[in-house]
Amino acid sequence: YAQPCVPTTPHQLPALPLQEYAHSIRLDGDIMLGGLFPVHSRGERGVPCGELKKEKGIHRLEAMLFAIDLINKDPELLPNVTLGARILDTCSRDTYALEQSLTFVQALIERDGSDVRCANGDPPIFAKPDKVVGVIGAAASSVSIMVANILRLFKIPQISYASTAPELSDNTRYDFFSRVVPPDSYQAQAMLDIVTAMGWNYVSTLASEGNYGESGVEAFVQISRESGGVCIAQSLKIPREPMPGEFDKLILRLLETSNARAVIMFANEDDIRRILDAAKRNNQTGHFLWVGSDSWGSKISPVVQQERVAEGAVTILPKRASIDAFDRYFRSRSLSNNRRNVWFAEFWEENFVCKLGMHGKRPGSPKKCTGLEKVGRDSTYEQEGKVQFVMDAVYAMAHALHRMHRELCSGYPGLCARMANIDGKELLTFIRAVNFNGSAGTPVTFNENGDAPGRYDIFQYQINNRSTAEYKVIGHWTDQLYLNVRMIWTSGDPSVPASVCSLPCKMGERKKVVKGVPCCWHCERCEGYHFQASEFMCELCPYEQRPDQNHTGCQPIPIIKLEWHSPWAVLPVFISVLGILATTFVIVTFVRYHDTPIVRASGREMSYVLLTGIFLCYAITFPMIAAPDVAVCSFRRIFLGLGMCFSYAALLTKTNRIHRIFEQGKKAVTPPRFISPASQLVITFSLISVQLMGVFVWFATDPPHTVVDYGEQRTQDPENARGVLKCDISDLSLICSLGYSILLMVTCTVYAIKTRGVPETFNEAKPIGFTMYTTCIIWLAFIPIFFGTAQSAERMYIQTATLTVSLSLSASVSLGLLYMPKVYIIIFHPEQNVPKRKRSFKAIVTVATMTSKLSQLTSERPNGEVKTELCEGMDTSMPSSKTTYVSYTNHAI
């Protein structure tokens, strides 16, 4: 201390007052440690310090004193070396703590006394300040940051017991700072893991202004952005000096994103209490899902009288244990045995609600303190949560000094010369290398940034059946989360409430993410033939597949074919069966009456060819309806046009023969060539062979096979989509197959028109003409029906039915007009089926000539005159009353 003197210059340094230690604790020792504790809260209206903090201040401070006592008594740790302490009050304010921490560096500042003189002229004598080799503290991150900036300049190592701001992990700026608690970056990761485990992806954050709150939220936001699974709806900040109504405004702002029910809080306990109170005032009990950092932990003060609004809150706290030895120590403290703690008297008044003498801190207290009160007996007591970490911080410094002493002093008892002036940088190296079991039995180590490993307990504030609230441990976090799901929300609904921007999409729906907010999306159904390929994509199913019922995958499209029981098949089959029976009946009749005049006059050989064609036209219905395979497809190709070809080749040969006979008769009396039955068969089968040749070429170039046509019944609704099993016969191939038969039909029609003037007594020319006219009408109707339904969903049924019915109708017309009259006469009028006299070719030609003249004069003479004129020149013996069937089979050619 400086002797009392009056400085002669205005720049003198004041001598330290005698009451220098009135607001600090000093313990003598060989090595001095500094201590920073929030003994008092922050003052208001310019006052630096406020009310006493019993737990955070006194408990933690006493923990440091207790740890120093244990170390000094330990013969194995720092033997013959005594630890001392200089403990200061930060008053929970960073600027005030900065002023106080200057005490720690006074010994390292050289004082210039050249300008200072005492009144008598003697030079002043300065008291030598304590040299602090390391500092334990501070509590708040903002205080630790402020102090660390000073201590690093003087290379004084610092170990915090409660500062968790991620900013302090920056080893380039805070290289002399270490901590026995994990940084908030670990805490933020643990909180993010909790949010993810709860199934929440849309949350808001709430931070107290300052390093702890802001850096904690920043770490959470950064980690959530990197993981990509959680989106931040709002990031709100609680002002350091909040205005009236500020917390109500914060609640209303949180409600703007009402889906973000989870609120991540990095706030001090005062702000936590006030935000819960604001939620209660705004009738939002049960709406918010609070997730609190270690500043909330398992503290009672933030939730007192606000149990319902805080119910369900999930909080985090560094894993800790209660130190029983400290409990015994603290319960034994009294005013008489704890005079070293200058704030203990104030604690005594606060703890027991009494007043100590005239100068007590509680002038309004109703009673006086007796001094005989006992902690834990006359007041409630529960060990503060950071006591363990305070003791671990002191022990970490002691173990570092012990290893340093062992290396530098080599077993020398007490401090050797090399440790008389401890180098802070060298001590920091030993601090970072410590590894021991702390007061709770957990390892105490530091990484390269001075951070402790992350070990957290996860709590939930629950109200049990007896309406009592308590914090329950529901899990822990050590590099990864371990959560006991069965212990969550056991008092009410066991299901975890939601905090999501958008509800999960249903099966078969893709997410259309809102730009810039990956946790918010709109759900879009995978429509049509698309299926949900991934969470964000719909893809088109392969052509032969359709989406399943949920649109989550694809399944084969059902394959159908024309079934025998289908209405589209029943009618064609019925007509075909009737036609086959009728054709068979005609054939049997003709065979039975093979030598009768009517059968012979019809041209037996050509009739059988024509009846075969008619039979095939009816029979093709069955392979057209049968289930497609290679054999069925082969039959379709062969017989589709063959029946018509047989029919119209025979009819064409007949009409051509009649035409040639009568045309030849106009020119000469000699019959034309190739009118015999054998010639007619040759001509007919020559025409048929063209069709067969075309079919064989078709077989060679494109062997028959089946295909499944998925386009024919590919409806808008995939549920109705069907694949049609069919033969590989295109519309063009069908036209080509039937085209030749249609050509024969058209040619036959032309000849029928040309021979329309032939007398009806000659070889059925007129029935053939009527047959061809009717057939042309049928096929003219067939074409628009067949090709007009190409886009119909019922295309297969309509086209198959149309084609088979058209073939059957064509056959029926031929059968009905050409053969049914003959069969009728054969069966019911056998008296007309008798032979008549044969005519010469000359007579036939004469009749043809007369008929031609009749047709020419019809338009020139009145009715009756032509007939009279012609009758006079005709043979009077020509029959006129009965039909005569003339056969040319025996005429000479």
Side-chain angles (χ1 to χ4, degrees):
Y1 298 93
Q3 293 179 349
C5 62
V6 179
T8 59
T9 69
H11 302 291
Q12 70 174 24
L13 286 177
L16 293 176
L18 293 174
Q19 297 298 321
E20 179 188 4
Y21 302 122
H23 296 289
S24 67
I25 296 175
R26 183 179 184 280
L27 297 181
D28 285 328
D30 301 323
I31 300 175
M32 297 296 290
L33 299 180
L36 291 171
F37 294 92
V39 180
H40 293 86
S41 63
R42 180 185 305 169
E44 296 180 357
R45 299 182 183 87
V47 178
C49 300
E51 295 180 353
L52 182 79
K53 287 189 173 184
K54 294 193 296 182
E55 289 83 12
K56 281 190 174 183
I58 300 301
H59 283 208
R60 294 177 182 179
L61 182 154
E62 289 291 345
M64 180 174 179
L65 296 175
F66 177 59
I68 290 174
D69 291 344
L70 293 178
I71 293 167
N72 288 337
K73 294 175 184 177
D74 191 343
E76 302 296 328
L77 187 61
L78 287 174
N80 300 314
V81 176
T82 304
L83 287 181
R86 184 74 185 277
I87 300 174
L88 305 175
D89 181 9
T90 65
C91 290
S92 306
R93 187 186 296 271
D94 49 3
T95 53
Y96 183 79
L98 180 62
E99 295 173 8
Q100 293 293 300
S101 63
L102 291 174
T103 306
F104 298 144
V105 300
Q106 283 182 355
L108 302 175
I109 299 175
E110 294 184 2
R111 300 193 179 191
D112 184 6
S114 59
D115 293 338
V116 180
R117 290 289 183 272
C118 290
N120 58 6
D122 295 334
I125 301 173
F126 290 99
K128 186 177 181 181
D130 295 321
K131 183 182 179 184
V132 174
V133 300
V135 174
I136 306 300
S141 295
S142 57
V143 175
S144 289
I145 288 172
M146 192 74 79
V147 172
N149 286 320
I150 290 293
L151 297 182
R152 72 183 294 268
L153 296 177
F154 296 93
K155 297 181 173 56
I156 299 176
Q158 173 186 2
I159 302 178
S160 173
Y161 50 82
S163 298
T164 57
E167 184 181 348
L168 289 164
S169 296
D170 187 351
N171 205 36
T172 59
R173 295 178 58 194
Y174 307 104
D175 44 347
F176 280 83
F177 178 84
S178 303
R179 50 187 162 190
V180 291
V181 288
D184 286 338
S185 54
Y186 294 163
Q187 184 173 200
Q189 181 64 60
M191 295 172 78
L192 179 64
D193 290 346
I194 292 170
V195 167
T196 305
M198 297 292 187
W200 302 333
N201 65 5
Y202 197 50
V203 301
S204 296
T205 63
L206 192 58
S208 292
E209 187 176 1
N211 289 99
Y212 172 79
E214 293 177 40
S215 59
V217 164
E218 183 181 350
F220 181 87
V221 170
Q222 181 178 353
I223 293 172
S224 64
R225 188 181 294 118
E226 290 172 357
S227 69
V230 176
C231 297
I232 309 301
Q234 295 189 76
S235 285
L236 304 181
K237 189 187 299 183
I238 302 172
R240 199 184 298 268
E241 303 291 341
M243 302 290 291
E246 187 70 37
F247 289 91
D248 291 315
K249 292 179 182 177
L250 288 171
I251 291 296
L252 294 177
R253 286 191 61 187
L254 288 173
L255 289 173
E256 291 176 4
T257 51
S258 57
N259 283 352
R261 295 177 60 189
V263 180
I264 311 302
M265 298 183 68
F266 282 85
N268 60 57
E269 59 183 280
D270 292 334
D271 289 342
I272 295 169
R273 184 179 66 254
R274 287 183 284 185
I275 200 72
L276 292 176
D277 185 50
K280 183 179 179 181
R281 281 197 308 273
N282 286 274
N283 296 320
Q284 296 302 319
T285 299
H287 174 76
F288 293 109
L289 308 170
W290 311 107
V291 180
S293 63
D294 62 346
S295 60
W296 185 337
S298 59
K299 294 174 184 172
I300 299 299
S301 58
V303 297
V304 171
Q305 296 182 346
Q306 299 177 142
E307 290 81 3
R308 288 294 174 185
V309 74
E311 183 183 10
V314 178
T315 61
I316 189 171
L317 196 62
K319 189 178 285 291
R320 67 185 188 187
S322 181
I323 311 301
D324 294 336
F326 176 79
D327 289 339
R328 292 190 295 271
Y329 161 81
F330 194 79
R331 284 191 173 101
S332 67
R333 298 297 89 192
S334 66
L335 292 172
S336 58
N337 66 11
N338 198 23
R339 294 182 180 276
R340 62 183 179 179
N341 185 346
V342 297
W343 297 288
F344 199 70
E346 186 179 352
F347 166 78
W348 199 266
E349 288 185 329
E350 188 76 23
N351 192 52
F352 296 109
V353 194
C354 61
K355 178 181 177 183
L356 282 171
M358 296 295 295
H359 303 286
K361 295 287 185 179
R362 298 177 63 87
S365 297
K367 64 174 182 177
K368 290 185 178 181
C369 302
T370 64
L372 300 177
E373 294 88 356
K374 189 172 180 62
V375 175
R377 184 192 68 186
D378 301 316
S379 65
T380 58
Y381 166 75
E382 184 179 357
Q383 188 179 124
E384 201 276 331
K386 293 292 194 300
V387 165
Q388 168 198 341
F389 300 109
V390 174
M391 295 183 65
D392 286 346
V394 177
Y395 266 91
M397 194 72 76
H399 278 277
L401 289 168
H402 179 77
R403 289 189 60 187
M404 188 178 188
H405 180 270
R406 194 170 56 189
E407 272 196 31
L408 299 182
C409 296
S410 304
Y412 180 83
L415 290 180
C416 61
R418 294 181 66 183
M419 285 191 69
N421 191 12
I422 296 174
D423 181 14
K425 194 167 186 178
E426 190 175 6
L427 176 60
L428 177 66
T429 305
F430 286 103
I431 290 173
R432 296 288 172 87
V434 299
N435 189 344
F436 65 97
N437 286 330
S439 53
T442 54
V444 176
T445 58
F446 302 101
N447 63 13
E448 64 277 4
N449 296 322
D451 294 330
R455 290 186 291 265
Y456 297 96
D457 283 323
I458 313 298
F459 295 88
Q460 186 178 45
Y461 192 65
Q462 297 180 359
I463 300 177
N464 58 29
N465 296 331
R466 292 173 294 180
S467 298
T468 57
E470 61 180 337
Y471 290 97
K472 284 189 177 180
V473 178
I474 60 171
H476 65 277
W477 189 92
T478 307
D479 296 328
Q480 59 180 326
L481 181 67
Y482 301 91
L483 205 61
N484 188 347
V485 181
R486 291 178 298 178
M487 295 190 66
I488 301 176
W489 277 282
T490 54
S491 61
D493 185 1
S495 62
V496 178
S499 180
V500 294
C501 180
S502 302
L503 294 174
C505 292
K506 299 176 183 177
M507 290 189 294
E509 294 180 342
R510 78 176 185 95
K511 291 180 180 178
K512 187 178 181 182
V513 179
V514 177
K515 188 175 181 180
V517 190
C519 300
C520 299
W521 57 79
H522 304 293
C523 296
E524 287 188 350
R525 181 77 177 168
C526 295
E527 297 291 349
Y529 289 84
H530 291 79
F531 73 100
Q532 185 184 358
S534 67
E535 192 176 7
F536 303 98
M537 288 184 62
C538 292
E539 290 184 0
L540 189 65
C541 284
Y543 192 67
E544 70 279 0
Q545 295 183 349
R546 67 179 183 185
D548 56 22
Q549 189 173 6
N550 296 323
H551 280 253
T552 55
C554 296
Q555 60 186 8
I557 294 176
I559 298 173
I560 61 170
K561 60 184 185 300
L562 185 57
E563 302 291 345
W564 292 103
H565 54 77
S566 169
W568 295 100
V570 170
L571 180 62
V573 169
F574 179 72
I575 296 172
S576 179
V577 169
L578 291 180
I580 288 173
L581 292 175
T583 304
T584 304
F585 178 73
V586 171
I587 293 173
V588 170
T589 302
F590 267 54
V591 171
R592 183 175 178 184
Y593 298 96
H594 183 69
D595 291 323
T596 60
I598 288 180
V599 175
R600 293 179 64 188
S602 299
R604 291 172 294 188
E605 296 79 3
M606 296 303 293
S607 292
Y608 292 135
V609 173
L610 181 55
L611 288 169
T612 300
I614 292 171
F615 183 88
L616 291 176
C617 286
Y618 285 123
I620 190 60
T621 298
F622 296 97
M624 291 300 294
I625 294 175
D629 56 29
V630 175
V632 169
C633 292
S634 301
F635 279 117
R636 287 186 187 182
R637 288 193 183 188
I638 295 170
F639 295 109
L640 182 60
L642 191 60
M644 290 179 64
C645 187
F646 264 78
S647 300
Y648 300 127
L651 288 175
L652 176 60
T653 303
K654 274 192 170 190
T655 54
N656 174 265
R657 177 173 176 264
I658 295 171
H659 176 70
R660 286 189 296 114
I661 287 174
F662 285 95
E663 285 297 316
Q664 180 69 18
K666 295 175 184 179
K667 300 175 184 177
V669 295
T670 59
R673 301 171 61 190
F674 309 121
I675 61 172
S676 66
S679 300
Q680 297 297 295
L681 288 174
V682 171
I683 294 171
T684 301
F685 282 108
S686 296
L687 294 172
I688 293 172
S689 65
V690 175
Q691 172 76 16
L692 292 173
M693 185 64 67
V695 171
F696 291 146
V697 171
W698 189 8
F699 267 78
T701 56
D702 184 17
H705 59 280
T706 59
V707 294
V708 179
D709 187 353
Y710 292 100
E712 183 172 319
Q713 294 198 25
R714 194 173 180 84
T715 56
Q716 292 269 345
D717 184 2
E719 285 295 316
N720 299 326
R722 298 292 184 270
V724 180
L725 178 64
K726 55 167 57 174
C727 293
D728 188 23
I729 301 176
S730 64
D731 290 346
L732 179 61
S733 301
L734 180 68
I735 294 299
C736 291
S737 179
L738 296 175
Y740 179 65
S741 300
I742 293 173
L743 177 63
L744 294 178
M745 180 185 69
V746 172
T747 306
C748 186
T749 305
V750 172
Y751 275 111
I753 294 171
K754 286 185 176 183
T755 59
R756 68 185 182 281
V758 175
E760 60 182 10
T761 55
F762 293 98
N763 274 43
E764 58 204 355
K766 284 186 173 55
I768 290 176
F770 290 134
T771 299
M772 299 318 301
Y773 306 150
T774 307
T775 303
C776 286
I777 292 172
I778 291 172
W779 286 99
L780 284 174
F782 160 79
I783 291 172
I785 295 174
F786 186 86
F787 293 101
T789 58
Q791 303 302 321
S792 172
E794 304 289 329
R795 172 186 173 185
M796 175 187 68
Y797 306 111
I798 296 174
Q799 290 188 343
T800 302
T802 302
L803 180 58
T804 53
V805 169
S806 296
L807 288 168
S808 296
L809 288 178
S810 300
S812 299
V813 167
S814 299
L815 188 66
L817 293 179
L818 297 179
Y819 290 102
M820 285 306 171
K822 296 179 176 63
V823 173
Y824 177 77
I825 291 174
I826 292 171
I827 301 299
F828 298 104
H829 295 284
E831 72 277 3
Q832 294 183 17
N833 190 11
V834 294
K836 303 296 181 181
R837 68 180 181 85
K838 296 178 182 177
R839 298 182 182 181
S840 63
F841 184 75
K842 183 177 179 181
I844 296 170
V845 171
T846 301
V847 171
T849 304
M850 298 300 288
T851 305
S852 177
K853 287 181 180 181
L854 176 62
S855 62
Q856 292 174 2
L857 293 173
T858 301
S859 61
E860 300 175 2
R861 302 291 180 89
N863 290 340
E865 296 180 14
V866 177
K867 185 176 180 183
T868 305
E869 183 179 325
L870 288 174
C871 288
E872 290 176 354
M874 289 179 63
D875 186 359
T876 56
S877 63
M878 180 175 283
S880 59
S881 61
K882 294 184 179 180
T883 302
T884 304
Y885 292 91
V886 182
S887 173
Y888 303 109
T889 56
N890 297 324
H891 291 165
I893 298 176

